[in-house]
Amino acid sequence: MQLRLLYFAWVREALGRGEEVRDFPSGVTTIADVLSALSQYDERYAGAFAAPERLRFALDQVYAGPETPIRDGGELGIFPPVTGG
Amino acid sequence: MQLRLLYFAWVREALGRGEEVRDFPSGVTTIADVLSALSQYDERYAGAFAAPERLRFALDQVYAGPETPIRDGGELGIFPPVTGG
Amino acid sequence: MADRVIETRVQTAPFDAGAECAALVRDGIVGAVVSFTGHVRGSAGDVLELQHYPGMTEGQIAAIADEAARRWDLTGGLVIHRHGPLPVGAPIVLVAVASRHRGDAFRAAEFLIDWLKVKAPFWKKEGDRWVEAQAADDAAAAGWQ
Amino acid sequence: MADRVIETRVQTAPFDAGAECAALVRDGIVGAVVSFTGHVRGSAGDVLELQHYPGMTEGQIAAIADEAARRWDLTGGLVIHRHGPLPVGAPIVLVAVASRHRGDAFRAAEFLIDWLKVKAPFWKKEGDRWVEAQAADDAAAAGWQ
């Protein structure tokens, strides 16, 4: 299961990157699973994702809750609540 | 009792004038009295003022109902409902 | 009128809505500018004639502007109402309001045009026909009481 | 986007709000143009940095614009949202809506900015601090459901 991951605002700064492509094992099926998997890889992910209620998600550029199933080749955006306008 | 009278829109056109100064006898004390007095002077006034519910009034540039008392030297505007904006 | 929150002008000349709105933004305190422009509708070649009551017009518009400044938290504003002959498409009226937060500017702008419609002594003539007042305008203004 | 009632743009460049609004008035059918501009607040010298999610931004703004065009009787409109570094006072966003009758333009303009605030993926950074989202914005958007 491969995902293109995009990070914005303080999430991007905390992770030190704006974008990456990663493969996940077959047990990773939802956005919440992705956060857990990433948090196990690296302390910076663990720190940035420690309070998931402060995060919002978009799957293929559409807002999605943490229990939304991911798809192979999909694009997952992870970011704080938006503050435009 | 002297009044400066100002007419606008179709009232002005019906009367053939935009402004005049007129003296009224002492029995003329309200805007409604002014309309009656003018209507007796001249057919054009009688025609223009025949349906007073189609008219609006301003005494000294403030909106006023037909029963509002007039004052000597005052300014009375007579016009249809406004349509600006 | 320099000490009014909302400036008012009655004129025959056109106005530059963009420049007027930009002039309301200063000091880093203005977060929102809402503007309304009303335009002459009709067919190509039509001309609208706008008559007004000099003196009373200025007084009524200033009173409405002051009422808006009392009701909402505004940093500035401007009302321009034109009179005279105006071709189809021409701007008739500009209402522009600046505020810290957008809700105040939206409320004040709509209040101003709703009240101008029923209080400012202007009369529109389309060709040789004087435009009739609309009950919808009275209803809109009454909603702010 | 040429066949959309409300055009949308995401750009770093400034915009000319007056010219954009004037361009919405055509054919003698437009009676009202309502515009909203949002500006950078702060102290002289402050700079706001606006980051966005390219692709998703355009999609979200277009969806909001189409929803406004479905809900109200509009003759045209335009949404411009800027990104990148912006000084205090600079315009961030333009919402401009044209309609036959002013109520539609007022409703649609406020709907557009209320929804852009909570749906368009932009993030503001003031100095070295990321701006926190405001509950008032969620409440304003929820009012249109």
Side-chain angles (χ1 to χ4, degrees):
Chain A
M1 182 79 90
Q2 190 176 73
L3 285 181
R4 183 172 177 230
L5 297 155
L6 294 168
Y7 309 115
F8 296 95
W10 61 258
V11 179
R12 174 180 294 188
E13 291 180 352
L15 300 181
R17 69 189 66 187
E19 183 173 343
E20 63 186 326
V21 175
R22 279 194 181 262
D23 287 298
F24 295 93
S26 59
V28 173
T29 62
T30 67
I31 293 173
D33 293 341
V34 171
L35 298 189
S36 299
L38 289 167
S39 295
Q40 285 165 8
Y41 294 154
D42 186 314
E43 292 249 316
R44 286 180 302 175
Y45 291 96
F49 300 162
E53 71 279 6
R54 295 181 59 207
L55 297 174
R56 297 294 180 272
F57 313 103
L59 206 57
D60 297 325
Q61 307 192 353
V62 174
Y63 288 104
E67 298 312 318
T68 308
I70 56 173
R71 68 168 184 89
D72 187 42
E75 178 177 301
L76 175 60
I78 303 178
F79 43 77
V82 302
T83 57
Chain B
M1 184 78 93
Q2 190 176 75
L3 286 180
R4 183 173 178 231
L5 297 155
L6 295 169
Y7 310 114
F8 296 96
W10 61 258
V11 179
R12 174 179 294 188
E13 292 180 352
L15 300 180
R17 70 189 65 186
E19 183 173 343
E20 62 185 328
V21 175
R22 277 192 181 264
D23 287 299
F24 294 93
S26 60
V28 172
T29 62
T30 66
I31 294 173
D33 294 342
V34 171
L35 298 190
S36 299
L38 289 168
S39 295
Q40 284 165 7
Y41 293 153
D42 185 312
E43 292 249 316
R44 284 180 302 176
Y45 291 97
F49 300 164
E53 73 279 4
R54 294 182 60 206
L55 297 174
R56 298 294 180 271
F57 314 102
L59 206 57
D60 297 325
Q61 306 191 353
V62 174
Y63 288 103
E67 299 311 319
T68 308
I70 55 173
R71 68 169 184 88
D72 187 41
E75 178 177 303
L76 175 60
I78 303 178
F79 44 76
V82 303
T83 56
Chain C
M1 305 243 176
D3 57 348
R4 287 219 151 90
V5 174
I6 302 177
E7 190 191 345
T8 66
R9 296 181 214 152
V10 179
Q11 64 190 43
T12 55
F15 49 78
D16 181 341
E20 299 294 357
C21 288
L24 296 174
V25 181
R26 41 184 173 59
D27 301 337
I29 62 167
V30 176
V33 177
V34 173
S35 81
F36 167 86
T37 55
H39 295 264
V40 179
R41 296 195 297 157
S43 305
D46 289 356
V47 173
L48 187 77
E49 174 76 30
L50 260 161
Q51 196 178 91
H52 79 118
Y53 186 160
M56 182 170 171
T57 305
E58 289 79 355
Q60 287 288 319
I61 296 177
I64 296 164
D66 289 349
E67 177 66 20
R70 262 193 298 276
R71 291 193 184 201
W72 291 283
D73 179 23
L74 308 177
T75 59
L78 173 65
V79 174
I80 302 176
H81 205 305
R82 297 174 71 191
H83 60 99
L86 296 169
V88 167
I92 303 169
V93 57
L94 170 68
V95 169
V97 186
S99 62
R100 291 168 181 79
H101 303 289
R102 69 188 184 280
D104 292 300
F106 270 109
R107 296 289 86 65
E110 194 164 13
F111 168 87
L112 284 163
I113 185 60
D114 281 355
W115 274 38
L116 282 173
K117 284 260 176 191
V118 299
K119 294 284 191 187
F122 287 89
W123 298 273
K124 290 190 180 110
K125 192 178 189 182
E126 293 174 346
D128 58 2
R129 189 182 69 85
W130 289 97
V131 173
E132 296 278 330
Q134 292 184 12
D137 288 328
D138 289 322
W144 296 102
Q145 299 287 347
Chain D
M1 305 238 178
D3 56 350
R4 285 219 153 90
V5 173
I6 301 177
E7 189 191 346
T8 66
R9 297 182 214 152
V10 179
Q11 64 190 43
T12 55
F15 48 77
D16 180 341
E20 299 293 358
C21 288
L24 296 175
V25 181
R26 39 184 174 60
D27 301 338
I29 62 166
V30 176
V33 177
V34 172
S35 80
F36 166 86
T37 54
H39 295 264
V40 179
R41 295 195 297 158
S43 305
D46 289 356
V47 173
L48 187 78
E49 174 75 28
L50 260 161
Q51 195 177 91
H52 79 118
Y53 185 160
M56 182 172 172
T57 305
E58 289 80 355
Q60 288 288 318
I61 296 177
I64 296 164
D66 289 350
E67 177 66 20
R70 262 192 298 274
R71 291 194 184 201
W72 290 283
D73 180 20
L74 308 177
T75 58
L78 173 65
V79 174
I80 301 177
H81 205 305
R82 296 174 71 191
H83 60 99
L86 295 169
V88 167
I92 303 169
V93 58
L94 169 68
V95 169
V97 186
S99 61
R100 290 168 180 80
H101 303 290
R102 69 188 183 281
D104 292 300
F106 270 109
R107 294 292 85 66
E110 194 164 12
F111 168 88
L112 283 162
I113 185 60
D114 282 354
W115 274 39
L116 283 173
K117 285 260 177 189
V118 299
K119 293 285 191 186
F122 287 89
W123 299 272
K124 290 191 180 108
K125 191 177 190 182
E126 292 174 345
D128 58 3
R129 188 182 68 85
W130 289 97
V131 173
E132 295 278 329
Q134 292 183 10
D137 287 329
D138 288 323
W144 295 102
Q145 299 287 346

